[in-house]
Amino acid sequence: MHELLDRFRGQALFRLEPDTVGIAGAALMDSVLRSRPAGADERPTFQPVLGRPITRTQSATLMRALGADVRTALDKPLGTPDLTGTWPRTPHHYLRELVFGPERPALRALTDRRLELTPKFTWAAVVAAAALRPGPRHRTALSTLATTVQKADTYTERRFALYLYRRMAAPICFTVAALVTNALWLAAPLDDDTPTEHILHETLRLLPPSWNILRRHSPEFPPLSPHLRPDDDLLLLPLLSHRDPAHWHNPDDYRPARWRHLDPDDHPGYLPFGHAGERCWGRHLVLPLATRLLDLARRDRLTIDPRQTRARVHLHGLLEVSDVHVTRQPG
């Protein structure tokens, strides 16, 4: 992370590999993302599964199902969950229960954080779950998203549906848990005067869980810059554009008050959920759940264990602060 910032911050375009160009200039990022929509293999959630494409109808059905589950979760009372412990693992488990409830073990396994270690673990869990046909007591789904699995009546269709369940259920938990863990790391101890939305916008600026956007080589790109070749893949880097001094005052400082005067929907280079013309499908699910979780942290006076002064930030997968020890403030 430091190497990327030290070497390339402030540069609009730079070569990362012989066939890969990094893009961090706000204007060039905007041009690239406007030039064409994302292809099937560039959409993280709806990429083909074993070569089988996911249609727009299927993705819309899944989005409606997940949206229904999130709305139901947001209507539940806050309750008294114990969120002290190691983050982001603890909020991940809380979100899993909140949104999807006590579903059968085969489905619960598909949201396990350990599956992120390698795609082989994910596929093994999907294959095992597909082989276990639900018995009579599982005929009624406990979440709307699970109904998409129960409608599959062959092994092949169950395997496909279960993989899509994983693609939908796990990321909502991963992303919200990462975002609020990052927010707590930056903002703790939380005060009552800073609006939650300002904390989240500033966290998404400094530690965006989705820190890069991939675009495969395409004929639309070379006309945008003389430095782009026809076979260049592009890696757009909000991680860098979010800290570009050309667009941010004191870009390395955590200053949620800056969002009193900034519009997160059109500030140059600010892309925590992608481009204005093609926003991430989860934006309107992630932010309400993150707000609820941060409100719980405020209510329960959660903070970082004062004995912890350092934590690791990984760049593989989501950008998140890991192994954060969260406790309650005394008094």
Side-chain angles (χ1 to χ4, degrees):
M1 184 173 178
H2 280 298
E3 184 178 359
L4 282 170
L5 289 167
D6 290 345
R7 291 184 60 190
F8 302 120
R9 181 173 17 192
Q11 298 184 44
L13 178 151
F14 41 88
R15 191 160 293 278
L16 294 169
E17 301 287 347
D19 59 352
T20 305
V21 170
I23 305 289
L28 186 54
M29 292 171 78
D30 181 73
S31 297
V32 168
L33 294 172
R34 286 183 185 279
S35 66
R36 67 164 174 80
D41 64 340
E42 297 167 341
R43 300 181 295 158
T45 302
F46 298 120
Q47 290 181 4
V49 177
L50 290 181
R52 178 174 172 175
I54 302 169
T55 67
R56 294 286 180 180
T57 300
Q58 289 170 325
S59 60
T61 297
L62 292 166
M63 277 303 307
R64 285 194 296 270
L66 182 58
D69 290 329
V70 170
R71 288 191 296 273
T72 299
L74 293 171
D75 287 338
K76 295 176 182 177
L78 289 180
T80 57
D82 181 5
L83 294 174
T84 59
T86 304
W87 284 40
R89 183 172 66 245
T90 296
H92 178 98
H93 292 163
Y94 163 76
L95 292 160
R96 175 66 187 82
E97 296 299 321
L98 176 71
V99 178
F100 303 106
E103 300 197 304
R104 59 192 179 93
L107 290 177
R108 293 173 62 82
L110 295 179
T111 60
D112 194 301
R113 294 180 62 85
R114 290 170 294 184
L115 296 187
E116 290 295 290
L117 294 175
T118 169
K120 292 181 180 179
F121 287 175
T122 299
W123 191 245
V126 167
V127 169
L132 298 173
R133 190 175 182 84
R137 66 191 180 94
H138 295 305
R139 294 296 185 190
T140 302
L142 295 177
S143 75
T144 308
L145 187 61
T147 63
T148 63
V149 177
Q150 291 193 332
K151 292 176 181 178
D153 55 7
T154 68
Y155 170 77
T156 299
E157 289 304 311
R158 284 199 304 276
R159 189 177 64 176
F160 182 68
L162 284 162
Y163 205 92
L164 295 183
Y165 178 94
R166 159 72 183 182
R167 289 262 191 96
M168 300 296 291
I172 195 73
C173 299
F174 281 125
T175 304
V176 176
L179 171 55
V180 182
T181 300
N182 293 351
L184 201 59
W185 181 260
L186 291 170
L190 297 168
D191 62 68
D192 295 329
D193 298 326
T194 305
T196 296
E197 63 185 58
H198 292 176
I199 293 175
L200 292 176
H201 291 325
E202 185 69 347
T203 300
L204 286 165
R205 185 183 73 82
L206 286 172
L207 293 171
S210 297
W211 61 277
N212 68 81
I213 303 169
L214 176 65
R215 287 294 181 265
R216 301 292 185 188
H217 62 273
S218 182
E220 291 87 355
F221 298 153
L224 302 178
S225 169
H227 302 290
L228 293 177
R229 301 191 296 242
D231 59 346
D232 281 335
D233 293 334
L234 308 185
L235 190 67
L236 287 75
L237 292 162
L239 175 68
L240 299 186
S241 65
H242 286 190
R243 296 179 183 235
D244 189 336
H247 300 294
W248 310 94
H249 182 62
N250 294 320
D252 291 330
D253 293 349
Y254 171 74
R255 295 189 176 186
R258 73 174 81 235
W259 293 100
R260 295 174 187 166
H261 312 293
L262 300 179
D263 184 346
D265 288 328
D266 67 4
H267 191 77
Y270 186 64
L271 301 170
F273 293 104
H275 189 259
E278 197 173 18
R279 292 288 189 206
C280 169
W281 59 267
R283 179 191 186 195
H284 298 297
L285 307 180
V286 167
L287 289 178
L289 285 170
T291 297
R292 178 189 175 101
L293 189 53
L294 202 53
D295 286 345
L296 275 170
R298 267 201 169 115
R299 186 199 70 181
D300 295 345
R301 297 176 56 80
L302 298 185
T303 193
I304 309 299
D305 188 322
R307 293 169 296 183
Q308 182 173 8
T309 58
R310 298 175 66 87
R312 294 179 63 83
V313 177
H314 299 284
L315 284 179
H316 65 275
L318 295 179
L319 180 66
E320 66 180 12
V321 185
S322 63
D323 297 323
V324 176
H325 303 296
V326 173
T327 186
R328 286 189 177 88
Q329 298 180 59

